[in-house]
Amino acid sequence: MIAAPDIAAAQPAAPREAAASADAAARADASYRRGLRLYSDGKYVEAESELQSAWELSPTFDVAYNLGNTKYQLKKHREAAQYLSHALRHWPLMKAAAKLKPTAEKRLAESRAQVGALVVTVGVVGAEVVVDGKAVGKAPLEGEVFVEAGEHRVEARLEGYAPASETVKVAKGGTAAAALALVPVKSEAQEAAPGARAAEGGRAPGAGAGAPAAEMPPAEPAYPGPEPQKRSWVPVIALGAASAVGLGVGIGTTVASNAASDDAHKQSAAIIQGRGQCVKPASAWVGPCEQVRNDATRADTLGNVARVAFIASGAFAIAAATYVLWPKPKRSESAVALPVVHSDGAGIAVMGAW
């Protein structure tokens, strides 16, 4: 089942026309329509090429839906899952599109069962996320990243921060989480500044090379400076634990949401195979249809809980990193009175910071 061109035309103009020039929009629409005709003729490879071109020019829900269906027909389940999930996240509230949504959900579930999913959180907004050497977007990512089952290297990069990476393993049909914390790095100028200031401060101002030794004040005794304040690690431990709990809740509710969604899809498929329907169901299908609605509602609720948990986990992780990296407050030094003796007499020097 494909999304017809009139559905695309019924969408608000903002996503497509604001994102591309008029010429690009016209080329995207032409590729999109050619792709639909090729798909209808069963020429999936040719349709894939046309729809891919349309997607690069105009990444809207209808293009994602049809491109995902084409990938599904070609058994490219990882890519099918990526495009179908994008389409479902941006599904419009249109009657003409409502009848297509069950097909998208069903094929996403089937493709999702053949691959793994990564939930990637990064502590700094705007960081580029890279999976197995390929950029997949900027933090925070929208939705999951679908990958083949096995081990994958996840990285986060942003100018001014040290890169962070993690290797995760995900099973077919499973979900794995990767939480990356970026740490700011000092520039060469910042690192050289303390040494330069120390070199300048080591020269006594106004000290002439030929001054008599008798005129030089005796060396003053060295007093130990104030001990630096020790930072408490209790907030870091508490925030880290809260972040871990949020991450665990997010993963658990994501798995539960996927299970509920799978139940709804299976029940819906059983109703369709039994020649039933849930718009105005016969008495024999009232119970199964109600179960489908309950499972779908439960899947949406758990999915929302998972999103909130992942956001909270990231916020706690950012708070912990901010606490660790925030400069320690300096203690104020009290005034110190020291005796000064020179050839002309003696006195008292008061030193301190105000």
Side-chain angles (χ1 to χ4, degrees):
M1 186 177 293
I2 60 175
D6 56 344
I7 293 179
Q11 295 183 93
R16 175 169 292 177
E17 295 178 2
S21 64
D23 178 62
R27 287 187 286 116
D29 185 65
S31 293
Y32 177 66
R33 291 173 183 271
R34 285 195 298 269
L36 296 187
R37 288 194 296 271
L38 290 166
Y39 183 96
S40 298
D41 294 338
K43 299 178 180 179
Y44 301 127
V45 174
E46 294 87 343
E48 178 188 29
S49 177
E50 292 291 348
L51 292 171
Q52 193 75 55
S53 298
W55 170 260
E56 292 170 359
L57 293 168
S58 179
T60 55
F61 113 89
D62 54 309
V63 179
Y65 170 77
N66 287 288
L67 185 53
N69 279 335
T70 305
K71 301 283 188 181
Y72 171 86
Q73 297 292 353
L74 294 171
K75 301 189 183 302
K76 297 182 179 181
H77 295 295
R78 182 188 64 78
E79 297 174 61
Q82 205 72 57
Y83 288 112
L84 289 172
S85 64
H86 177 93
L88 288 170
R89 285 195 302 271
H90 299 276
W91 203 268
L93 298 176
M94 299 165 50
K95 290 183 178 180
K99 62 182 180 181
L100 304 176
K101 194 170 185 180
T103 300
E105 293 171 337
K106 177 177 178 295
R107 291 181 173 178
L108 172 59
E110 292 177 3
S111 296
R112 175 71 176 75
Q114 300 299 317
V115 297
L118 301 179
V119 178
V120 183
T121 55
V122 183
V124 182
V125 174
E128 183 180 45
V129 179
V130 179
V131 176
D132 297 332
K134 181 180 180 181
V136 296
K138 296 185 181 295
L141 292 182
E142 182 187 48
E144 300 169 309
V145 179
F146 295 100
V147 294
E148 301 297 336
E151 286 192 353
H152 299 275
R153 184 173 179 81
V154 184
E155 300 175 82
R157 304 168 183 170
L158 184 63
E159 185 177 357
Y161 292 81
S165 64
E166 182 178 347
T167 299
V168 295
K169 187 174 183 179
V170 61
K172 181 184 290 188
T175 301
L180 303 175
L182 293 177
V183 179
V185 294
K186 290 184 178 180
S187 65
E188 293 182 2
Q190 290 174 321
E191 292 176 351
R197 286 195 295 268
E200 292 176 359
R203 184 182 304 149
E215 298 297 325
M216 298 295 290
E220 298 174 356
Y223 290 85
E227 295 182 0
Q229 287 184 326
K230 294 182 178 180
R231 190 187 297 276
S232 172
W233 290 98
V234 173
V236 178
I237 296 172
L239 290 170
S243 177
V245 170
L247 184 60
V249 171
I251 294 173
T253 49
T254 296
V255 173
S257 175
N258 290 338
S261 179
D262 288 343
D263 291 341
H265 293 153
K266 291 176 182 177
Q267 185 66 26
S268 178
I271 293 172
I272 294 173
Q273 290 175 359
R275 299 183 181 278
Q277 51 85 25
C278 291
V279 178
K280 292 182 179 180
S283 58
W285 298 110
V286 171
C289 288
E290 184 64 25
Q291 183 62 44
V292 171
R293 284 190 287 270
N294 290 340
D295 288 340
T297 300
R298 183 157 56 91
D300 288 342
T301 301
L302 290 170
N304 291 333
V305 171
R307 282 189 286 275
V308 172
F310 285 130
I311 292 172
S313 174
F316 285 129
I318 293 171
T322 301
Y323 178 84
V324 171
L325 300 174
W326 198 264
K328 297 180 180 179
K330 297 181 179 178
R331 288 184 176 179
S332 60
E333 299 180 355
S334 58
V336 179
L338 299 174
V340 177
V341 180
H342 49 80
S343 60
D344 296 330
I348 295 176
V350 180
M351 296 182 296
W354 293 270

